[in-house]
């Protein structure tokens, strides 16, 4: 199987390249060789590469910046998936598109199902919802995989930001009233390959690690596991204070609750669910 990956330089793109099974040929493109917002380029590259499947890991993920940069967010998150879907339909290529928990408003208190109604709160979520809708309308047999709170060993993510701040400071305030699930990019990569290998898979799936946490819970775990892994000095003490969303205003409104139900993914792929804290421990130890 030949799989073309977009967004090769991002956290997910990197993990997809690292974790590719031996029976899959991976062709990875970054924005410099495949800008998904450029329709002509999308068609040209897919015609030349002739993949069996495209995994769209390219995304505009700067949630707060999107509020003042809507054109760029929509170009990558809405127009980009539409271009890929049109090209895949014409060329007979399968499409797996990666989306986000931000397509929901976060007002319910039980895990979101794949079929739940999209109600995004801001520009980033709206752009991702539009991308999903375009893929569904153009290519009904496509796969959409929503994820949340993604981190990896490298990159600008919550884990690396917290480790840096914990090394620098004695006190941190972290939001405690937003609930979701931390997800290692490697977990998501494994799920995407499992779906790519399943010819029956189509429609929307959810993929995160197991369990739920607030950003405050996540930060406390990063401190404890970071110390255990030797990434923070043993004598280092940091007071981590739980704060409310209202105490830390941001340009974009975030969903208060965005835990995703993974039942369909687990049932159809047989992938094991591991609690987010165990996964975090493994990643920090490595």
């Amino acid at each position: 199987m030949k799989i073309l990956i977009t967004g090769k330089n991002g956290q997910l793109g990197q993990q997809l390249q690292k974790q590719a099974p031996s029976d899959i040929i991976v062709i990875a493109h970054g924005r410099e060789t495949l800008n998904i917002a450029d329709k002509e380029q999308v068609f040209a590259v897919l015609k030349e590469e002739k993949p069996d499947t495209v995994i769209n890991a390219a995304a505009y993920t700067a949630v707060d910046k999107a509020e003042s940069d809507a054109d760029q967010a929509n170009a990558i998150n809405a127009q980009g998936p539409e271009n890929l879907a049109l090209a895949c339909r014409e060329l007979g290529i399968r499409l797996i598109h990666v989306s986000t928990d931000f397509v929901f408003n976060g007002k319910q208190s039980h895990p979101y199902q794949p079929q739940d109604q999209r109600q995004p709160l801001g520009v980033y979520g709206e752009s991702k919802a539009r991308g999903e809708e375009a893929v569904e309308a153009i290519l009904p047999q496509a796969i959409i995989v929503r994820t949340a709170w993604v981190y990896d060993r490298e990159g600008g993510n919550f884990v690396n930001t917290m480790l840096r701040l914990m090394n620098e400071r004695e006190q941190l305030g972290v939001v405690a009233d937003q609930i979701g699930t931390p997800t290692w990019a490697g977990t998501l990569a494994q799920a995407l390959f499992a779906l790519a290998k399943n010819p029956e898979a189509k429609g929307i799936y959810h993929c995160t690690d197991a369990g739920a946490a607030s950003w405050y819970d996540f930060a406390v775990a990063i401190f404890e596991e970071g110390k255990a892994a030797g990434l923070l000095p043993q004598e280092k003490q940091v007071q981590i204070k739980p704060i409310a969303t209202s105490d830390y205003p941001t340009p974009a409104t975030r969903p208060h609750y965005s835990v995703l139900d993974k039942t369909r993914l687990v049932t159809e792929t047989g992938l094991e669910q591991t609690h987010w804290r165990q996964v975090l421990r493994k990643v920090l130890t490595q």
Side-chain angles (χ1 to χ4, degrees):
M1 186 187 295
K2 190 175 179 182
I3 295 181
L4 184 146
I5 294 163
T6 67
K8 73 170 186 179
N9 299 315
Q11 296 180 129
L12 176 57
Q14 296 278 340
Q15 279 294 336
L16 285 165
Q17 291 169 81
K18 288 176 188 172
Q19 298 212 30
S22 57
D23 58 345
I24 288 179
I25 299 165
V26 166
I27 314 139
H29 282 270
R31 196 172 176 191
E32 62 282 356
T33 55
L34 177 54
N35 176 5
I36 63 170
D38 183 334
K39 187 176 178 180
E40 287 184 10
Q41 190 177 44
V42 167
F43 271 80
V45 171
L46 265 56
K47 277 179 182 173
E48 184 182 338
E49 300 283 17
K50 298 182 175 64
D52 300 296
T53 301
V54 170
I55 297 179
N56 181 31
Y60 183 107
T61 57
V63 175
D64 288 320
K65 192 180 173 191
E67 293 297 311
S68 58
D69 192 20
D71 288 350
Q72 191 62 21
N74 279 299
I76 299 168
N77 293 344
Q79 189 61 51
E82 180 176 316
N83 293 340
L84 288 167
L86 288 167
C88 286
R89 183 178 68 183
E90 182 172 310
L91 301 169
I93 297 167
R94 202 168 181 217
L95 176 61
I96 302 176
H97 171 60
V98 180
S99 194
T100 174
D101 58 325
F102 271 74
V103 300
F104 299 122
N105 64 17
K107 291 181 180 176
Q108 68 183 38
S109 56
H110 54 278
Y112 280 92
Q113 302 289 332
Q115 68 274 16
D116 283 343
Q117 187 180 358
R118 303 176 185 97
Q119 289 184 312
L121 297 173
V123 171
Y124 167 70
E126 286 166 4
S127 69
K128 293 295 287 186
R130 284 181 57 204
E132 286 189 11
E133 288 161 359
V135 168
E136 282 183 324
I138 295 162
L139 206 62
Q141 67 271 35
I143 295 170
I144 294 169
V145 181
R146 297 190 187 117
T147 191
W149 296 26
V150 178
Y151 69 92
D152 198 11
R153 287 167 59 179
E154 276 115 41
N157 57 59
F158 186 77
V159 173
N160 288 330
T161 300
M162 284 295 109
L163 287 170
R164 176 175 57 79
L165 293 175
M166 287 167 182
N167 269 301
E168 295 171 358
R169 300 183 187 178
E170 307 299 319
Q171 185 174 307
L172 287 172
V174 183
V175 171
D177 57 356
Q178 292 173 22
I179 309 297
T181 307
T183 307
W184 176 43
T187 300
L188 180 56
Q190 290 163 14
L192 293 170
F193 283 126
L195 289 167
K197 286 185 166 191
N198 179 356
E200 304 300 315
K202 67 175 185 177
I204 301 176
Y205 296 82
H206 287 167
C207 176
T208 66
D209 284 315
S214 67
W215 291 108
Y216 167 78
D217 298 327
F218 194 12
V220 170
I222 292 164
F223 180 69
E224 293 172 357
E225 300 295 348
K227 256 194 174 183
L231 299 173
L232 295 164
Q234 288 304 307
E235 69 279 4
K236 180 71 175 176
Q237 294 300 319
V238 180
Q239 184 184 7
I240 305 171
K241 297 173 62 176
I243 63 172
T245 298
S246 56
D247 295 329
Y248 187 72
T250 56
T253 303
R254 286 159 166 77
H256 277 287
Y257 182 92
S258 61
V259 178
L260 302 175
D261 187 291
K262 281 83 70 178
T263 305
R264 185 182 183 211
L265 177 74
V266 173
T267 302
E268 294 189 21
T269 63
L271 288 169
E272 287 186 15
Q273 280 269 285
T274 305
H275 193 273
W276 66 265
R277 177 134 187 179
Q278 287 176 257
V279 180
L280 174 68
R281 182 178 304 146
K282 177 181 146 190
V283 174
L284 293 184
T285 303
Q286 289 173 349

